[in-house]
PDB file of all heavy atoms in Angstrom:
ATOM      1  N   GLY A  38     -17.793 -10.368 -13.698  1.00  0.00           N
ATOM      2  CA  GLY A  38     -17.260  -9.009 -13.538  1.00  0.00           C
ATOM      3  C   GLY A  38     -15.849  -9.005 -12.990  1.00  0.00           C
ATOM      4  O   GLY A  38     -14.986  -8.263 -13.459  1.00  0.00           O
ATOM      5  N   ALA A  39     -15.592  -9.866 -11.997  1.00  0.00           N
ATOM      6  CA  ALA A  39     -14.250  -9.949 -11.430  1.00  0.00           C
ATOM      7  C   ALA A  39     -13.256 -10.461 -12.467  1.00  0.00           C
ATOM      8  O   ALA A  39     -12.137  -9.942 -12.578  1.00  0.00           O
ATOM      9  CB  ALA A  39     -14.262 -10.862 -10.206  1.00  0.00           C
ATOM     10  N   SER A  40     -13.668 -11.445 -13.246  1.00  0.00           N
ATOM     11  CA  SER A  40     -12.781 -11.982 -14.293  1.00  0.00           C
ATOM     12  C   SER A  40     -12.454 -10.919 -15.335  1.00  0.00           C
ATOM     13  O   SER A  40     -11.308 -10.800 -15.779  1.00  0.00           O
ATOM     14  CB  SER A  40     -13.431 -13.182 -14.969  1.00  0.00           C
ATOM     15  OG  SER A  40     -13.577 -14.244 -14.063  1.00  0.00           O
ATOM     16  N   ARG A  41     -13.448 -10.151 -15.717  1.00  0.00           N
ATOM     17  CA  ARG A  41     -13.214  -9.084 -16.702  1.00  0.00           C
ATOM     18  C   ARG A  41     -12.280  -8.017 -16.142  1.00  0.00           C
ATOM     19  O   ARG A  41     -11.401  -7.514 -16.845  1.00  0.00           O
ATOM     20  CB  ARG A  41     -14.536  -8.448 -17.120  1.00  0.00           C
ATOM     21  CG  ARG A  41     -15.342  -9.312 -18.051  1.00  0.00           C
ATOM     22  CD  ARG A  41     -16.610  -8.618 -18.450  1.00  0.00           C
ATOM     23  NE  ARG A  41     -17.397  -9.456 -19.349  1.00  0.00           N
ATOM     24  CZ  ARG A  41     -18.641  -9.189 -19.691  1.00  0.00           C
ATOM     25  NH1 ARG A  41     -19.244  -8.107 -19.206  1.00  0.00           N
ATOM     26  NH2 ARG A  41     -19.293  -9.984 -20.512  1.00  0.00           N
ATOM     27  N   ALA A  42     -12.470  -7.660 -14.876  1.00  0.00           N
ATOM     28  CA  ALA A  42     -11.608  -6.648 -14.264  1.00  0.00           C
ATOM     29  C   ALA A  42     -10.162  -7.141 -14.200  1.00  0.00           C
ATOM     30  O   ALA A  42      -9.228  -6.395 -14.513  1.00  0.00           O
ATOM     31  CB  ALA A  42     -12.119  -6.297 -12.863  1.00  0.00           C
ATOM     32  N   LEU A  43      -9.973  -8.390 -13.800  1.00  0.00           N
ATOM     33  CA  LEU A  43      -8.621  -8.945 -13.750  1.00  0.00           C
ATOM     34  C   LEU A  43      -7.991  -9.005 -15.134  1.00  0.00           C
ATOM     35  O   LEU A  43      -6.803  -8.738 -15.296  1.00  0.00           O
ATOM     36  CB  LEU A  43      -8.640 -10.338 -13.109  1.00  0.00           C
ATOM     37  CG  LEU A  43      -8.901 -10.353 -11.605  1.00  0.00           C
ATOM     38  CD1 LEU A  43      -9.090 -11.790 -11.121  1.00  0.00           C
ATOM     39  CD2 LEU A  43      -7.780  -9.679 -10.853  1.00  0.00           C
ATOM     40  N   ALA A  44      -8.791  -9.346 -16.141  1.00  0.00           N
ATOM     41  CA  ALA A  44      -8.272  -9.405 -17.511  1.00  0.00           C
ATOM     42  C   ALA A  44      -7.851  -8.021 -17.986  1.00  0.00           C
ATOM     43  O   ALA A  44      -6.804  -7.868 -18.624  1.00  0.00           O
ATOM     44  CB  ALA A  44      -9.323  -9.996 -18.452  1.00  0.00           C
ATOM     45  N   ARG A  45      -8.625  -7.003 -17.650  1.00  0.00           N
ATOM     46  CA  ARG A  45      -8.269  -5.632 -18.049  1.00  0.00           C
ATOM     47  C   ARG A  45      -6.976  -5.168 -17.381  1.00  0.00           C
ATOM     48  O   ARG A  45      -6.237  -4.364 -17.937  1.00  0.00           O
ATOM     49  CB  ARG A  45      -9.407  -4.677 -17.709  1.00  0.00           C
ATOM     50  CG  ARG A  45     -10.580  -4.807 -18.631  1.00  0.00           C
ATOM     51  CD  ARG A  45     -11.653  -3.789 -18.339  1.00  0.00           C
ATOM     52  NE  ARG A  45     -12.804  -4.038 -19.195  1.00  0.00           N
ATOM     53  CZ  ARG A  45     -14.061  -3.928 -18.793  1.00  0.00           C
ATOM     54  NH1 ARG A  45     -14.318  -3.553 -17.557  1.00  0.00           N
ATOM     55  NH2 ARG A  45     -15.050  -4.177 -19.624  1.00  0.00           N
ATOM     56  N   LEU A  46      -6.722  -5.691 -16.187  1.00  0.00           N
ATOM     57  CA  LEU A  46      -5.504  -5.331 -15.470  1.00  0.00           C
ATOM     58  C   LEU A  46      -4.326  -6.219 -15.848  1.00  0.00           C
ATOM     59  O   LEU A  46      -3.213  -6.002 -15.384  1.00  0.00           O
ATOM     60  CB  LEU A  46      -5.733  -5.427 -13.961  1.00  0.00           C
ATOM     61  CG  LEU A  46      -6.701  -4.411 -13.375  1.00  0.00           C
ATOM     62  CD1 LEU A  46      -6.980  -4.731 -11.910  1.00  0.00           C
ATOM     63  CD2 LEU A  46      -6.154  -3.004 -13.511  1.00  0.00           C
ATOM     64  N   GLY A  47      -4.581  -7.217 -16.678  1.00  0.00           N
ATOM     65  CA  GLY A  47      -3.526  -8.141 -17.082  1.00  0.00           C
ATOM     66  C   GLY A  47      -3.180  -9.160 -16.009  1.00  0.00           C
ATOM     67  O   GLY A  47      -2.079  -9.686 -15.979  1.00  0.00           O
ATOM     68  N   LEU A  48      -4.133  -9.449 -15.144  1.00  0.00           N
ATOM     69  CA  LEU A  48      -3.897 -10.370 -14.035  1.00  0.00           C
ATOM     70  C   LEU A  48      -4.743 -11.644 -14.157  1.00  0.00           C
ATOM     71  O   LEU A  48      -5.142 -12.225 -13.154  1.00  0.00           O
ATOM     72  CB  LEU A  48      -4.214  -9.673 -12.706  1.00  0.00           C
ATOM     73  CG  LEU A  48      -3.354  -8.473 -12.375  1.00  0.00           C
ATOM     74  CD1 LEU A  48      -3.890  -7.772 -11.141  1.00  0.00           C
ATOM     75  CD2 LEU A  48      -1.911  -8.883 -12.187  1.00  0.00           C
ATOM     76  N   ASP A  49      -4.991 -12.063 -15.382  1.00  0.00           N
ATOM     77  CA  ASP A  49      -5.863 -13.220 -15.584  1.00  0.00           C
ATOM     78  C   ASP A  49      -5.120 -14.502 -15.940  1.00  0.00           C
ATOM     79  O   ASP A  49      -5.733 -15.512 -16.246  1.00  0.00           O
ATOM     80  CB  ASP A  49      -6.905 -12.913 -16.659  1.00  0.00           C
ATOM     81  CG  ASP A  49      -6.277 -12.546 -17.994  1.00  0.00           C
ATOM     82  OD1 ASP A  49      -5.099 -12.176 -18.015  1.00  0.00           O
ATOM     83  OD2 ASP A  49      -6.988 -12.623 -19.014  1.00  0.00           O
TER      84      ASP A  49
END
Side-chain angles (χ1 to χ4, degrees):
S40 295
R41 285 181 180 169
L43 288 172
R45 286 184 185 141
L46 293 173
L48 297 172
D49 59 341

